[in-house]
């Protein structure tokens, strides 16, 4: 008897200690100790979705905890290293609905409810501790109909029926229910791994994470599954996914400070879904625990050697945006990509950027592919006749773009000029299969498009003298070749419902599929009169604002330390330890 009392005291002490440690983790500091990252959740881009069941593993065993938005407590040790968490539903004849349970008693803790379980062993093989209505009860049975549930209820004095759209069940590997939890959108189930050498590691459906796992279920939905990690350990998993940890360590350390600043600045970005950040490029790509993976030690070194350091501007955390590469051109002023100018997000030199696979790139689309791209964004200008850059930024990125179609004109600007076509960056030029090289009145040769310039075109028997052509290419009225050649402008050539008969500016025309041009050697080449293919030749990858990751690599290889790298890309900032 004395031995039992001693064990109970130790048990209580263990949970008191665990609860104190956990509660202190949520103390309000500028840099919080913990951060919530979504694992399974409703994502409008389809990169993730809630689940109805998930398998959890931890070496040494798992604890059950209950959390709210500010704190949580550990309520029980399951003595199991593998558990399944699922929503509490029955599935029958192609239908599903919340299980019906018979609830008995009211207990002050999981422990007292668990002790009382043996008193109900004879009533149901499915008897387990449940957390319902903000307290502990004994729950029995998982019924899919009221009749069977009431039959058991009638055998138990004071028993009630309980069913909920927000309840989840914790089961062992044999399928035995260990715990039923219904926090009703205000409290949530948490599983906590046994610490190994001071580090918590937990496995969710095959992927390891540091920290704990939290389960949230809104009424009638599947479960949102969340990784609750220490913020510094979360950064280990970001570095591995966002940058090569084996780069020069100063570049990796610069990124660690930037990733920490971004995380703290954007805490609660997904608060509507119950967590802080998602694990995709919508926030920062996060791959979970890095233990035993590529570059593990370097990622941990970079984070630990800059622990607590963040970037500030005039005392406030900056929006530490970053991207992959510019291809060597300067970074961009924020207002040329997004809406507003930001004082510390100014265009800076990036000529020392390390060479990478996106330093230059090419995308080629047919006019029909482009039309389909626009339609997916509810933009319809008819058949595509021309795409023209109206303005470039000083750094060399497209600022304004015009798309001309048979049914209208569409103009866009800034970041939309690349997202419209799914390009790597805004830094690009456009060429088409209707482009020609012409000589202007000053004798300068340049590339232009038939659809936007005044040109000469030969007839089917055309045989033009290049020398004569060069002198007159931009004259819309002068034709030294008589009836064999006509000069035209875009709207004349592509006017619809006209028949071509004759030549010269006054001739009646139809839309010719091709025209002949004079090449430099004096021969003729037949090309499309309306572009059918558009080629985007570009540089870099990403929005171009803030730090270039490949630029940081280039600077680090030239002797810059991480603070110098950060201050190069973010104008007028300070690096503070908090």
């Amino acid at each position: 008897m004395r031995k039992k009392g001693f064990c109970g005291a130790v048990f209580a002490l263990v949970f008191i200690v665990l609860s104190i440690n956990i509660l202190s983790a949520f103390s309000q500091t500028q840099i919080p100790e913990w951060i919530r990252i979504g694992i399974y959740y409703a994502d409008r881009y389809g990169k993730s979705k809630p689940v109805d069941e998930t398998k959890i593993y931890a070496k040494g065993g798992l604890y059950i905890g209950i959390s709210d938005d500010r704190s949580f407590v550990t309520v029980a040790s399951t003595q199991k290293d593998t558990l399944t968490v699922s929503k509490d539903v029955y599935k029958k004849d192609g239908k599903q609905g919340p299980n019906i349970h018979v609830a008995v008693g009211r207990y002050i803790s999981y422990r007292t409810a668990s002790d009382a379980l043996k008193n109900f062993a004879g009533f149901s093989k499915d008897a387990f501790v449940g957390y319902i209505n903000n307290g502990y009860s004994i729950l029995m049975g998982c019924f899919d109909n009221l009749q069977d549930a009431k039959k058991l209820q009638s055998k138990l004095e004071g028993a009630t029926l309980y069913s909920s759209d927000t309840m989840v069940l914790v089961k062992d590997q044999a399928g035995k229910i260990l715990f039923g939890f219904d926090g009703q959108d205000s409290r949530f189930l948490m599983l906590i791994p046994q610490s190994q050498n001071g580090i918590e590691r937990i496995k969710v459906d095959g992927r390891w994470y540091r920290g704990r796992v939290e389960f949230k279920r809104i009424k009638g939905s599947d479960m949102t599954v969340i990784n609750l990690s220490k913020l510094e350990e979360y950064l280990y998993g970001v570095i591995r996914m966002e940058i090569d940890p084996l780069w020069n360590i100063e570049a990796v350390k610069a990124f660690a400070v930037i990733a920490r600043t971004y995380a703290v600045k954007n805490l609660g970005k997904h608060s509507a879904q119950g967590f802080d950040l998602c694990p995709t490029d919508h926030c920062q790509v996060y791959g979970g625990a890095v233990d035993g993976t590529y570059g593990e030690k370097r990622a941990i070194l970079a984070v630990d050697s800059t622990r607590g350091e963040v970037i500030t501007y005039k005392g406030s955390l900056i929006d530490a945006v970053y991207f992959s590469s510019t291809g060597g051109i300067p970074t961009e002023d924020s207002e040329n990509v997004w809406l507003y100018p930001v004082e510390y997000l100014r265009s800076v030199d990036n000529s020392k950027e390390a060479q990478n696979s996106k330093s230059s790139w090419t995308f080629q689309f047919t006019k029909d592919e482009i039309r389909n791209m626009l339609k997916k964004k509810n933009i319809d200008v008819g058949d595509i006749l021309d795409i023209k850059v109206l303005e470039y930024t000083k750094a060399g990125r497209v600022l304004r773009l015009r798309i001309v179609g048979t049914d209208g004109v569409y103009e866009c600007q800034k970041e939309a000029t690349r997202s419209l076509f799914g390009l790597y960056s805004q830094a690009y030029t456009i060429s088409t299969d209707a482009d020609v090289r012409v000589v202007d009145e000053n004798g300068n040769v340049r590339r232009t498009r038939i659809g936007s310039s005044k040109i000469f075109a030969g007839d089917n028997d055309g045989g033009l003298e290049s020398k004569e052509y060069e002198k007159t290419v931009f004259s819309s009225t002068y034709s030294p070749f008589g009836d064999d050649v006509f000069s035209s402008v875009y709207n004349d050539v592509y006017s619809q419902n006209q028949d071509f008969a004759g030549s010269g500016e006054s001739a009646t025309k139809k839309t010719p599929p091709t025209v002949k041009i004079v090449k430099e050697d004096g021969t003729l080449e037949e090309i499309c009169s309306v572009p059918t293919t558009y080629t985007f030749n570009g540089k870099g990858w990403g929005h171009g604002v803030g730090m270039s990751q490949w630029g940081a690599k280039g600077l680090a290889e030239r002797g810059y330390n991480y603070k110098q790298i950060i201050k190069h890309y973010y104008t007028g900032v300070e690096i503070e330890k908090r």
Side-chain angles (χ1 to χ4, degrees), residues 163-209:
S163 181
S164 172
D165 286 330
T166 55
M167 189 155 174
V168 297
L169 301 176
V170 180
K171 302 175 184 177
D172 65 14
Q173 283 184 288
K176 178 180 173 57
I177 300 174
L178 304 179
F179 188 49
F181 180 82
D182 184 17
Q184 298 179 335
D185 292 342
S186 61
R187 295 184 178 183
F188 310 101
L189 174 70
M190 180 175 288
L191 290 183
I192 305 162
Q194 173 67 54
S195 174
Q196 302 288 323
N197 298 321
I199 300 173
E200 294 179 350
R201 296 184 180 87
I202 192 165
K203 194 175 185 181
V204 182
D205 290 337
R207 171 164 286 187
W208 284 98
Y209 296 87

Side-chain angles (χ1 to χ4, degrees), residues 23 169 191 340 377 381 396 502 516 528:
L23 285 169
L169 301 176
L191 290 183
Y340 300 110
K377 297 180 184 297
V381 295
K516 291 180 179 179
C528 301

Side-chain angles (χ1 to χ4, degrees), residues 149-412:
K150 286 183 176 180
K151 186 176 180 181
L152 176 60
Q153 180 189 17
S154 65
K155 299 177 182 177
L156 295 160
E157 184 177 356
T160 59
L161 299 183
Y162 191 83
S163 181
S164 172
D165 286 330
T166 55
M167 189 155 174
V168 297
L169 301 176
V170 180
K171 302 175 184 177
D172 65 14
Q173 283 184 288
K176 178 180 173 57
I177 300 174
L178 304 179
F179 188 49
F181 180 82
D182 184 17
Q184 298 179 335
D185 292 342
S186 61
R187 295 184 178 183
F188 310 101
L189 174 70
M190 180 175 288
L191 290 183
I192 305 162
Q194 173 67 54
S195 174
Q196 302 288 323
N197 298 321
I199 300 173
E200 294 179 350
R201 296 184 180 87
I202 192 165
K203 194 175 185 181
V204 182
D205 290 337
R207 171 164 286 187
W208 284 98
Y209 296 87
R210 286 204 180 195
R212 303 99 188 261
V213 177
E214 191 175 51
F215 304 85
K216 295 186 175 181
R217 186 180 176 215
I218 60 175
K219 189 174 182 180
S221 74
D222 288 343
M223 299 181 298
T224 295
V225 183
I226 298 163
N227 175 210
L228 186 66
S229 170
K230 290 186 176 179
L231 190 143
E232 298 291 332
E233 295 181 357
Y234 154 73
L235 297 176
Y236 300 161
V238 171
I239 286 180
R240 183 174 72 101
M241 303 301 290
E242 289 276 8
I243 198 170
D244 188 335
L246 297 186
W247 281 2
N248 185 295
I249 191 63
E250 294 302 319
V252 185
K253 288 163 65 177
F255 182 74
V257 178
I258 288 169
R260 181 182 298 109
T261 306
Y262 181 93
V264 177
K265 176 76 173 181
N266 289 280
L267 285 172
K269 189 174 181 178
H270 285 265
S271 59
Q273 294 160 289
F275 50 90
D276 293 307
L277 301 177
C278 75
T280 75
D281 56 6
H282 178 261
C283 295
Q284 298 186 117
V285 181
Y286 170 58
V290 299
D291 309 79
T293 61
Y294 173 83
E296 166 202 359
K297 292 181 180 178
R298 300 267 294 180
I300 292 174
L301 172 63
V303 173
D304 290 351
S305 61
T306 62
R307 182 173 292 269
E309 292 185 352
V310 292
I311 310 170
T312 63
Y313 182 77
K314 295 182 179 179
S316 298
L317 290 172
I318 71 165
D319 195 359
V321 291
Y322 57 89
F323 61 96
S324 177
S325 159
T326 70
I329 69 172
T331 65
E332 193 54 74
D333 292 331
S334 59
E335 66 271 25
N336 289 337
V337 177
W338 302 312
L339 195 57
Y340 300 110
V342 178
E343 291 178 324
Y344 53 82
L345 297 177
R346 299 290 87 201
S347 175
V348 300
D349 174 71
N350 197 39
S351 59
K352 297 180 177 61
E353 180 178 280
Q355 191 73 16
N356 62 88
S357 63
K358 299 299 185 298
S359 290
S360 62
W361 46 262
T362 298
F363 280 94
Q364 190 173 75
F365 306 112
T366 67
K367 62 186 181 71
D368 291 335
E369 289 173 332
I370 291 175
R371 183 177 184 179
N372 290 334
M373 289 180 192
L374 299 180
K375 280 187 173 180
K376 289 179 180 178
K377 297 180 184 297
N378 297 317
I379 302 166
D380 189 358
V381 295
D383 288 337
I384 305 300
L385 296 178
D386 197 12
I387 303 175
K388 185 175 183 179
V389 176
L390 299 179
E391 184 178 358
Y392 281 96
T393 69
K394 291 182 180 178
R397 291 177 180 79
V398 177
L399 187 60
R400 294 193 300 128
L401 185 78
R402 174 181 292 161
I403 303 172
V404 180
T406 54
D407 295 336
V409 175
Y410 177 78
E411 289 190 9
C412 59

Side-chain angles (χ1 to χ4, degrees), residues 508-538:
T508 304
K509 310 172 186 71
K510 66 177 181 181
T511 304
T514 61
V515 294
K516 291 180 179 179
I517 64 166
V518 183
K519 298 172 65 176
E520 290 180 355
D521 61 4
T523 60
L524 289 177
E525 180 181 0
E526 189 170 6
I527 65 170
C528 301
S529 54
V530 177
T532 62
T533 302
Y534 293 84
T535 302
F536 297 79
N537 297 294

Side-chain angles (χ1 to χ4, degrees), residues 243 247 251 254 350 547-557 565 569:
I243 198 170
W247 281 2
N350 197 39
M547 190 189 81
S548 158
Q549 292 171 316
W550 285 91
K553 181 177 186 291
L555 291 180
E557 291 170 348
I565 293 171
Y569 286 108

